[in-house]
Amino acid sequence: MMESQQGSNGTSVPELLDVDRANGSRLYDYFLGGTSYLPVDREAGEEIARAAPHWALGARLARTFARRAVQTMAAAGVDQFLDLGSGIGAGGGSVHELARLANPDARAVYIHQEPIAYELGRELIGDDPYAAVLKLDIGDPDAVLNHPVTRGLIDFDRPVGVLVVGGFVFVPDEAGPAELLLRCREALAPGSCLALSQVSDDSAHAEISAELDWVRRRYASTQSPLYVRPRTEIASWFDGMELVDPGLVRYGRWRPEFPLTEAQLHCDFGYVGLARVV
């Protein structure tokens, strides 16, 4: 059924929004403690958290990686960012807010296709002249890279920090994530960086593998089926780039700020990595 409804933050939901099925982007926001989700997403999120508790933890670990990656890039002098579907606000600060701790003039363009995330992003950014959110498909790099707003805020002759944290888990194989990344890298100047996370199905723990199997079946009934990839494929996405230490590692193990808990160590749904264009 399609109808108007209230989002969790009280904003009006567009009439052409499918409110009967959960959405992967909104579920991610739910797991991060955000506000851009509907009741159907909350219900699905609660069910997933009960049946696969490490899945919600994995979402938070991926978001923590994104925060640390932005801080690392900003400390290296990167002051303009392109965030492909990682979310605004929830989970430890927005990209432009984190980057501005190192450079008050840092800029960011966020790409969201999900209507509620897009509208909430616009609301949170407000009239900030150095940040923008665009309603585009991350699977269409030419539309993203050549949009007038993108070109107006980001100078591709200088280093850019690109984040694809969780976005590719909803991009089908036929869309060609490797080709999409290659197109993005072709537009990036040396010194640019790519921060990426991706779910994989090669956990060392039977419990995690069982949880992932259940989660994949559950997401198959949502608007956003999951696409998992082997480590070899994920590693190939960084071909021609220089991986930053500690390389391509499990969730939570990328420069942790504190000793990892047993649950965090156990949560090995996928991989994260940061690489530099040389």
Side-chain angles (χ1 to χ4, degrees):
M1 185 175 73
M2 313 288 276
E3 62 183 44
S4 181
Q5 207 176 105
Q6 291 291 311
S8 63
N9 64 341
T11 59
S12 177
V13 176
E15 289 186 2
L16 295 180
L17 187 67
D18 184 348
V19 300
D20 294 327
R21 291 186 300 162
N23 172 275
S25 174
R26 301 193 304 261
L27 280 170
Y28 181 57
D29 186 77
Y30 170 80
F31 293 135
L32 296 178
T35 60
S36 58
Y37 56 84
L38 297 174
V40 67
D41 305 299
R42 182 180 63 249
E43 293 169 8
E46 291 172 350
E47 179 187 3
I48 292 168
R50 288 192 299 268
H54 290 93
W55 182 257
L57 175 58
R60 294 192 292 272
L61 289 175
R63 187 61 173 175
T64 299
F65 158 73
R67 176 172 55 80
R68 290 198 296 268
V70 170
Q71 292 170 331
T72 299
M73 290 186 277
V78 176
D79 62 0
Q80 46 184 359
F81 296 84
L82 183 61
D83 187 338
L84 303 179
S86 298
I88 304 176
S94 299
V95 169
H96 64 286
E97 294 171 334
L98 293 168
R100 286 174 187 172
L101 297 176
N103 185 336
D105 295 324
R107 303 177 175 215
V109 175
Y110 300 87
I111 307 300
H112 287 293
Q113 190 175 28
E114 202 287 316
I116 296 180
Y118 167 71
E119 292 295 343
L120 182 60
R122 291 181 61 195
E123 179 182 327
L124 292 175
I125 287 175
D127 58 358
D128 189 322
Y130 296 137
V133 55
L134 300 176
K135 190 174 184 295
L136 297 171
D137 182 359
I138 67 171
D140 187 350
D142 290 325
V144 172
L145 297 171
N146 296 321
H147 194 283
V149 172
T150 305
R151 290 289 172 174
L153 282 176
I154 294 181
D155 178 2
F156 286 96
D157 291 327
R158 299 193 302 109
V160 179
V162 177
L163 295 98
V164 192
V165 179
F168 278 171
V169 76
F170 303 120
V171 174
D173 294 333
E174 55 267 25
E179 289 75 15
L180 300 177
L181 284 177
L182 178 60
R183 177 65 188 90
C184 286
R185 292 203 306 270
E186 289 173 345
L188 299 177
S192 297
C193 297
L194 169 66
L196 186 145
S197 76
Q198 172 62 40
V199 176
S200 185
D201 58 359
D202 60 353
S203 172
H205 307 287
E207 175 189 359
I208 298 298
S209 296
E211 285 192 22
L212 179 57
D213 287 342
W214 186 93
V215 168
R216 293 177 73 177
R217 292 193 299 272
R218 183 62 182 84
Y219 271 72
S221 65
T222 74
Q223 301 172 41
S224 314
L226 298 180
Y227 296 89
V228 304
R229 274 98 184 188
R231 188 184 191 281
T232 52
E233 181 178 353
I234 301 168
S236 73
W237 293 346
F238 294 104
D239 285 351
M241 304 180 72
E242 182 182 83
L243 273 168
V244 175
D245 185 67
L248 186 63
V249 296
R250 296 289 191 180
Y251 289 174
R253 303 193 185 196
W254 201 90
R255 303 187 180 186
E257 298 169 318
F258 305 100
L260 298 178
T261 66
E262 183 177 348
Q264 290 170 333
L265 289 169
H266 203 64
C267 184
D268 59 354
F269 281 111
Y271 296 92
V272 299
L274 173 67
R276 184 181 297 111
V277 176
V278 293

